[in-house]
Amino acid sequence: MKNYWIALVILIGTCLMSCNREDLATSTSTEEAAEVMTLSAARVAVAADSVTKQKCKGKLTAVDISTLPSAITTYIQQTYPTATIKLAASDEKGNLIVGITVDNKPKALLFTAAGVFVQELSHYQKKAKLTEVALADLPTSITTYITAHYAGATLEKAGKNADGVYFVAIKSGNSIKVLRFDASGTFVEELAKEARPKKRH
C-alpha cells in the first residue's frame, strides 16, 4: 500500500511539472510573438516615416545594434539615459536609423554614416506604437485569410497602430510569422522574420 501512495505522489508531481513546462512554453511563445510583432511594426514605421523618405536613399538594410558606431551609442546614452536600443538600419548612402524606446515610447533617430545626429523621425512613434487587439476582436476578414492561407497556424498576438493597420503574429510549426493587414482587414504582406534584439542601453 505504501508503494502505491509513493507511486501516486510521483505521478501527480510528474503531471504538475509537465503542465508547468507547457505553461512556460506557451508564455515564452506569446512573449516572443509580441516582441517580434512589435519589432516588425517598428521596421515598417521606419521605412514609412516621412523623414526616412526625404533623407534616406534606397532600401534599408538591418544593422546589428552591437556594431553601431560609438558616437551613436554615446549620443543616445547622453541624450536618452533610460533608452533601450531596439533596432538599427542603414540606407545605401550609409545613413543610420536607430530605433529606441524611452519609457516604453518608441523613437527613431537619424544619423549620418559618421554617427552625427541629424534628426528624429517625425511620424515614427505614431506608426511604431501598437495597441493590443484581443484575438477574438480581430476582423473576420483577417482570421478567414489566416485560416485559408496558413493552415494549422495559431494566432499568438495582434495589435494595430494609430493608422489602424493590423499586425498579427501567428505560430506556424516552430516559427513565428508576422502578417500585416490594412485598416479594413485586407492582407498586405508577410513581414520578414525579425530577430529578437539584444538588449543594449
Side-chain angles (χ1 to χ4, degrees), residues 25 27 47 49-50 68 78 81 94 100 103-104 110 114 123 146 152 165 168 173 177 180 187 189 192:
S27 174
D49 191 89
S50 58
L68 286 171
Q78 291 176 347
I100 62 175
D103 300 326
N104 291 321
L110 176 64
H123 299 294
I146 293 171
V165 175
V168 183
K177 299 177 185 291
R180 181 160 63 120
F187 176 74
E189 63 178 330

Side-chain angles (χ1 to χ4, degrees), residues 6-191:
I6 292 172
L8 184 61
V9 168
I10 291 172
L11 179 61
I12 292 171
T14 302
C15 289
L16 288 173
M17 287 174 63
S18 175
C19 288
N20 287 337
R21 279 198 297 271
E22 287 176 8
D23 289 344
L24 181 60
T26 302
S27 174
T28 301
S29 173
T30 304
E31 288 173 9
E32 180 184 1
E35 191 166 3
V36 172
M37 180 182 72
T38 302
L39 185 57
S40 295
R43 288 205 187 279
V44 169
V46 164
D49 191 89
S50 58
V51 172
T52 307
K53 291 177 179 177
Q54 292 168 14
K55 303 281 187 179
C56 297
K57 180 180 178 182
K59 186 178 179 182
L60 296 177
T61 304
V63 171
D64 186 335
I65 60 176
S66 67
T67 65
L68 286 171
S70 59
I72 291 178
T73 54
T74 299
Y75 175 87
I76 292 171
Q77 287 168 356
Q78 291 176 347
T79 311
Y80 306 97
T82 61
T84 299
I85 298 175
K86 303 297 280 186
L87 63 90
S90 65
D91 71 358
E92 292 175 5
K93 294 189 293 184
N95 293 318
L96 290 159
I97 296 171
V98 182
I100 62 175
T101 56
V102 183
D103 300 326
N104 291 321
K105 294 180 181 177
K107 292 181 180 291
L109 313 173
L110 176 64
F111 297 85
T112 66
V116 177
F117 174 73
V118 178
Q119 70 185 100
E120 184 177 327
L121 273 61
S122 55
H123 299 294
Y124 176 80
Q125 180 171 326
K126 177 184 176 185
K127 295 181 182 295
K129 187 174 182 179
L130 295 180
T131 300
E132 186 173 358
V133 175
L135 299 177
D137 294 336
L138 284 171
T140 305
S141 58
I142 291 179
T143 54
T144 299
Y145 181 91
I146 293 171
T147 300
H149 293 86
Y150 295 89
T154 57
L155 297 173
E156 294 287 325
K157 277 283 184 179
K160 63 180 178 179
N161 65 18
D163 292 335
V165 175
Y166 289 91
F167 293 83
V168 183
I170 62 173
K171 187 171 184 181
S172 181
N174 290 323
S175 65
I176 300 292
K177 299 177 185 291
V178 179
L179 312 178
R180 181 160 63 120
F181 297 82
D182 67 18
S184 66
T186 301
F187 176 74
V188 177
E189 63 178 330
E190 178 183 323
L191 297 165

